[in-house]
Amino acid sequence: YFKGIIERDRTLLGKAITLIESSLQKDKKKAFRLIDKCLPLSGNSIRIGISGTPGVGKSTFIESFGLLLTQRKHKIAVITIDPSSSISKGSILGDKTRMKKLANSKLAFIRSSASNEELGGITKHTKDIITLCEASGFNIMLIETVGVGQSETLIHSITDIFIYLTLVDNGDEIQFIKKGILELTDIILINKSDLNQKKANQIKFLLENNIQQKDEHQSIFTCSAINGKNIK
């Protein structure tokens, strides 16, 4: 596994991630050894966390943003966390099918992981998956959280930049000044702004005024991931 990772073999990288996600005791011992080997080769990437409510367009944004990065010859790893059913315990793990263009890029690696009903937006293995991807030479990590709302704050502790996507119709200005995920955010993106650019600009203005009053350092943009508007 380690040889495959450092030689940038995607198949073996995928199998290595499956190994560290395994709950079998025999696999756990191998996983610990593998992570120890990869740790000295990790820590050299920009880690970007991406959160937002379900349906906000996180996957579409990641594909649009990821294609821009690969055009600039960056090697990107996309780690997505998929919600697990509390009834069947299964997960769809279908994010890769939403990013068909990016999935076909030789400079991108996409991996979906089940949340296993863990709270906080990421899984207990997310940090280890990042370590393996960094050891395999990927220099930008895009970590898409489950999308559980204002309590989804664990992603902030493992990333360098935290992006929160919202929509024009996601509540009023009071909703945007609530504590929680928004106060940890570095960049707020008002996505699908092409549907109502005037209202998107109004929300952007309200958010910027609120941030200035609190003396916080955040950037706010309107964008449309589906047509590439303002992604650059």
Side-chain angles (χ1 to χ4, degrees), residues 26 33 80 85 93 107 120 132 165 167 177 190 198 203:
K26 63 175 184 177
R33 285 163 53 199
T80 68
S85 168
L93 303 177
L107 295 175
L132 265 58
L165 270 71
L167 295 172
I177 61 175
I190 304 165
K198 184 178 178 181
I203 292 172

Side-chain angles (χ1 to χ4, degrees), residues 26 46 77 79 100 103 139 165 179 207 223:
K26 63 175 184 177
I46 297 171
I79 302 162
K100 291 179 180 177
N139 69 315
L165 270 71
K179 298 297 182 185
L207 283 170
C223 73

Side-chain angles (χ1 to χ4, degrees), residues 7-219:
E7 290 179 355
R8 301 179 183 180
D9 184 318
R10 294 183 188 206
T11 302
L12 281 172
L13 173 60
K15 288 182 178 180
I17 292 172
T18 300
L19 176 74
I20 67 170
E21 290 180 330
S22 172
S23 58
L24 297 176
Q25 199 59 43
K26 63 175 184 177
D27 289 340
K28 286 182 179 180
K29 290 180 181 179
K30 290 179 184 177
F32 286 137
R33 285 163 53 199
L34 179 60
I35 293 163
D36 281 342
K37 275 179 168 286
C38 290
L39 272 172
L41 302 174
S42 67
N44 298 315
S45 76
I46 297 171
R47 303 174 179 183
I48 303 173
I50 298 165
S51 184
T53 51
V56 76
K58 295 190 293 294
S59 296
T60 306
F61 168 74
I62 288 171
E63 177 163 67
S64 185
F65 184 46
L67 288 170
L68 179 69
L69 293 172
T70 54
Q71 285 166 11
R72 297 183 177 187
K73 305 303 178 186
H74 289 291
K75 294 173 183 173
I76 68 167
V78 179
I79 302 162
T80 68
I81 316 300
D82 206 46
S84 299
S85 168
S86 57
I87 299 170
S88 68
K89 310 302 179 185
S91 296
I92 296 173
L93 303 177
D95 289 290
K96 196 170 182 177
T97 61
R98 292 175 175 168
M99 309 178 199
K100 291 179 180 177
K101 290 181 182 177
L102 188 60
N104 288 327
S105 172
K106 293 181 179 179
L107 295 175
F109 173 79
I110 302 173
R111 174 73 182 210
S112 292
S113 296
S115 67
N116 294 322
E117 297 186 81
E118 292 176 43
L119 300 178
I122 58 175
T123 77
K124 61 184 177 182
H125 300 297
T126 301
K127 195 171 181 181
D128 294 332
I129 295 171
I130 291 170
T131 297
L132 265 58
C133 290
E134 287 177 340
S136 198
F138 293 99
N139 69 315
I140 295 180
M141 305 285 142
L142 302 179
I143 305 105
E144 178 191 345
T145 66
V146 170
V148 295
Q150 292 176 340
S151 64
E152 192 174 85
T153 55
L154 287 179
I155 187 69
H156 180 261
S157 64
I158 65 166
T159 53
D160 303 302
I161 301 166
F162 187 22
I163 299 174
Y164 185 79
L165 270 71
T166 187
L167 295 172
V168 171
D169 297 319
N170 266 15
D172 56 18
E173 59 266 29
I174 300 299
Q175 194 69 27
F176 285 113
I177 61 175
K178 287 182 178 179
K179 298 297 182 185
I181 193 169
L182 285 178
E183 63 185 346
L184 300 176
T185 304
D186 299 302
I187 298 169
I188 298 172
L189 292 182
I190 304 165
N191 193 26
K192 302 184 183 180
S193 63
D194 55 310
L195 300 178
N196 192 337
Q197 189 62 55
K198 184 178 178 181
K199 190 171 181 182
N201 290 336
Q202 288 173 346
I203 292 172
K204 181 177 184 288
F205 177 75
L206 288 169
L207 283 170
E208 285 174 339
N209 276 351
N210 182 56
I211 286 167
Q212 287 172 3
Q213 289 170 13
K214 293 182 180 179
D215 196 30
E216 293 177 353
H217 302 285
Q218 293 172 316
S219 299

